[in-house]
């Protein structure tokens, strides 16, 4: 009796799944949306942030030094978007030639919890090499930076995937909204002329 019931349940489940899968757009809705790419002119604020080693830096001077730089916004305890963005950074570092001056910058959107130690441990998890820094700072300064990059969110749980590549020749920023695969990220860096 139980065997018949289980077979019947299995058939019903199969029919339900087949109907759901055949519904137009259901499966395609699971695919991640394509990212968008725009050219922006950000005004980086004059703020002092602290990196994973506790060193203070003037963010504007660092980002506008003329060297190629990439900026994203993450937090150390994120388990959704940030690990994907950071995996992209880690993969990119393996593609950079020896002596590359590309500076990868991650800015915390959770400065209340992202201490230098937390950020150091985070970078270790991704085997970050020299050239990738994770910055935190005062909440008001972090908010200024997020607003400058049109990335402001009032709550870290509302964050979204955003990567900004600065073209060292023009000083313009290539804003990439959405998640890229590792190969797409490398292709965007090549397109920007920094790889």
């Amino acid at each position: 009796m139980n065997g018949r019931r289980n077979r019947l349940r299995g058939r019903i489940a199969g029919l339900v799944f087949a109907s759901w899968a055949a519904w137009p757009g259901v499966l395609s809705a699971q695919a991640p949306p394509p990212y968008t790419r725009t050219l922006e002119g950000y005004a980086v604020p004059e703020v002092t942030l602290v990196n994973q080693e506790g060193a203070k830096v003037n963010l504007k001077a660092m980002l506008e030094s003329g060297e190629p730089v990439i900026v994203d916004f993450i937090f150390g305890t994120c388990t959704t978007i940030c690990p994907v963005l950071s995996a992209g950074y880690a993969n990119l570092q393996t593609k950079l030639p020896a002596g590359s001056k590309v500076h990868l910058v991650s800015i915390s959107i959770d400065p209340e919890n992202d201490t230098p130690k937390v950020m150091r441990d985070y970078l270790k998890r991704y085997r970050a090499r020299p050239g990738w820094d994770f910055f935190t700072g005062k909440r008001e300064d972090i908010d200024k930076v997020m607003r400058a990059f049109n990335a402001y969110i009032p709550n870290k749980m509302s964050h979204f995937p955003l990567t900004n590549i600065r073209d060292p020749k023009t000083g313009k920023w290539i804003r990439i909204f959405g998640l890229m695969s590792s190969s797409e990220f490398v292709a965007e860096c090549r397109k920007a002329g920094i790889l």
Side-chain angles (χ1 to χ4, degrees):
M1 189 66 175
N2 285 341
R4 287 182 63 190
R5 281 185 184 165
N6 288 339
R7 283 195 296 276
L8 181 60
R9 285 178 184 156
R11 285 179 189 163
I12 292 172
L15 288 171
V16 168
F17 175 78
S19 300
W20 173 81
W23 190 261
V26 167
L27 291 181
S28 62
Q30 293 180 334
Y35 64 86
T36 59
R37 182 182 195 273
T38 57
L39 200 59
E40 306 289 341
Y42 297 131
V44 180
E46 288 275 3
V47 295
T48 299
L49 300 184
V50 178
N51 75 0
Q52 70 278 359
E53 302 300 333
K56 294 181 178 178
V57 299
N58 179 299
L59 185 68
K60 183 177 176 65
M62 180 188 67
L63 296 184
E64 297 179 356
S65 67
E67 302 293 349
V69 62
I70 305 174
V71 174
D72 68 8
F73 295 88
I74 64 172
F75 61 98
T77 55
C78 178
T79 58
T80 57
I81 295 169
C82 306
V84 180
L85 294 174
S86 296
Y89 268 19
N91 178 67
L92 181 64
Q93 282 202 306
T94 68
K95 310 289 184 195
L96 296 174
S100 169
K101 294 183 177 178
V102 174
H103 192 180
L104 305 182
V105 173
S106 293
I107 296 176
S108 171
I109 58 173
D110 185 21
E112 292 81 7
N113 295 301
D114 283 343
T115 63
K117 181 182 184 314
V118 169
M119 298 189 301
R120 240 182 358 259
D121 290 345
Y122 183 91
L123 292 178
K124 278 181 188 170
R125 287 204 298 275
Y126 291 91
R127 299 178 181 175
R129 301 175 182 179
W132 179 0
D133 282 306
F134 194 175
F135 292 96
T136 189
K138 296 176 185 173
R139 165 53 69 185
E140 58 265 35
D141 289 339
I142 292 293
D143 287 351
K144 285 180 188 173
V145 178
M146 284 196 288
R147 285 193 170 94
F149 280 85
N150 193 19
Y152 178 75
I153 46 165
N155 182 317
K156 67 183 179 185
M157 300 313 292
S158 306
H159 68 318
F160 48 82
L162 181 66
T163 306
N164 295 281
I165 304 172
R166 188 172 189 270
D167 183 335
K169 294 176 185 170
T170 66
K172 292 284 187 183
W173 290 88
I174 298 159
R175 177 187 175 92
I176 298 172
F177 183 92
L179 289 174
M180 296 177 282
S181 68
S182 294
S183 58
E184 288 170 333
F185 188 24
V186 169
E188 287 292 346
C189 290
R190 288 202 172 106
K191 200 183 296 183
I194 67 171
L195 185 64

